[in-house]
DNA sequence: AAGATTCCCAACCGCACTACT
DNA sequence: GAGTAGTGCGGTTGGGAATCT
């Protein structure tokens, strides 16, 4: 699926190219244009922006995202700040590959809950809904179709109860 | 070697819901 | 109760890296 979009960024590197996948903070050197000529910057976050956001959260806690730009001078919308914190900067976010156990839980919960990524994320320590959604769409959806046919109903029920936290 | 295609994931968008005035 | 702002969610897009031809 080739993309036929215009390039509006000029990054020196990409998160994926870093050793700590997704955790790289030394990224872009220029930015996407403002939204519709608007007031908010778009595109990948820079190290400087991450620092400002983390500084804000250290002082004010997370939440009240719409105030971040006013207080820190960040030219980012509240939604963008929230997403950046939740998916990347929060110390509780686990980076790196999903373990077999995590994948099993995701598969079971997806069967139970469907695409309720935030609910599924709530059952997996250190993983965000976005991470799980991406992992599902790129890896597990295919795998699951194969596994699905071989599911042992008794085995499945046991893990289903375990997954939703029932004894 | 180089262009084309696919993979992967961060970030954006639109909508829904809640809280506040 | 109506209007507005803030927040959260799922679906989708964008774009560099990796792989293929």
């Amino acid at each position: 699926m080739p993309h036929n979009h215009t390039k509006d960024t000029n990054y020196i590197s990409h998160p994926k190219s870093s050793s700590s996948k997704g955790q790289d903070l030394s990224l872009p050197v220029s930015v996407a244009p403002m939204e519709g000529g608007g007031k908010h910057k778009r595109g990948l976050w820079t190290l400087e922006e991450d620092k400002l956001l983390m500084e804000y959260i250290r002082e004010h806690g997370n939440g009240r995202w719409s105030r971040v730009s006013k207080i820190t001078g960040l030219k980012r919308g509240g939604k963008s700040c929230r997403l950046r914190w939740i998916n990347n900067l929060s110390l509780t976010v686990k980076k790196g590959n999903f373990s077999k156990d995590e994948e099993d839980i995701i598969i079971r919960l997806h069967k139970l809950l469907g695409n309720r990524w935030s609910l599924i994320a709530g059952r997996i320590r250190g993983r965000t809904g976005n991470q799980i959604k991406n992992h599902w769409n790129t890896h597990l959806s295919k795998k699951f179709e194969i596994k699905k046919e071989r599911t042992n109903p008794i085995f499945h029920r046991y893990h289903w109860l375990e997954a939703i936290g029932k004894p």
Side-chain angles (χ1 to χ4, degrees), chain A residues 135-153:
Chain A
H135 192 67
W136 174 267
N137 289 335
T138 56
H139 297 93
L140 300 180
S141 54
K142 305 158 198 168
K143 208 171 170 180
F144 177 55
E145 290 308 316
I146 297 164
K147 283 185 76 171
K148 209 172 161 183
E149 297 162 21
R150 302 180 180 177
T151 303
N152 175 335

Side-chain angles (χ1 to χ4, degrees), chain A residues 30-159:
Chain A
S30 77
V31 300
M34 302 295 188
E35 190 172 14
K39 56 183 176 177
H40 293 141
K41 183 180 165 183
R42 296 169 59 185
L44 295 182
W45 281 63
T46 65
L47 178 61
E48 200 57 37
E49 288 175 316
D50 282 344
K51 277 182 186 170
L52 284 170
L53 181 57
M54 292 188 82
E55 211 165 289
Y56 169 86
I57 289 163
R58 195 169 55 241
E59 286 179 23
H60 301 89
N62 63 9
R64 300 182 170 190
W65 299 110
S66 60
R67 299 185 185 190
V68 176
S69 62
K70 291 171 195 164
I71 292 173
T72 65
L74 259 177
K75 292 180 171 48
R76 295 278 184 173
K79 289 172 81 167
S80 183
C81 294
R82 175 183 161 272
L83 210 61
R84 181 64 181 167
W85 169 252
I86 289 172
N87 288 328
N88 296 279
L89 301 180
S90 171
L91 298 176
T92 62
V93 175
K94 199 195 287 184
K95 301 290 180 180
N97 296 332
F98 280 71
S99 68
K100 185 74 178 63
D101 284 350
E102 286 174 325
E103 289 189 342
D104 284 346
I105 294 170
I106 292 167
I107 290 167
R108 286 197 300 272
L109 286 175
H110 185 270
K111 190 177 173 68
L112 178 67
L113 302 168
N115 296 356
R116 306 293 299 277
W117 306 116
S118 61
L119 283 178
I120 295 171
R123 293 284 175 183
I124 303 176
R125 191 181 295 277
R127 298 297 186 180
T128 69
N130 208 32
Q131 282 179 314
I132 292 168
K133 178 173 59 182
N134 282 333
H135 192 67
W136 174 267
N137 289 335
T138 56
H139 297 93
L140 300 180
S141 54
K142 305 158 198 168
K143 208 171 170 180
F144 177 55
E145 290 308 316
I146 297 164
K147 283 185 76 171
K148 209 172 161 183
E149 297 162 21
R150 302 180 180 177
T151 303
N152 175 335
I154 297 168
F155 177 85
H156 178 261
R157 175 172 165 74
Y158 171 77
H159 284 278

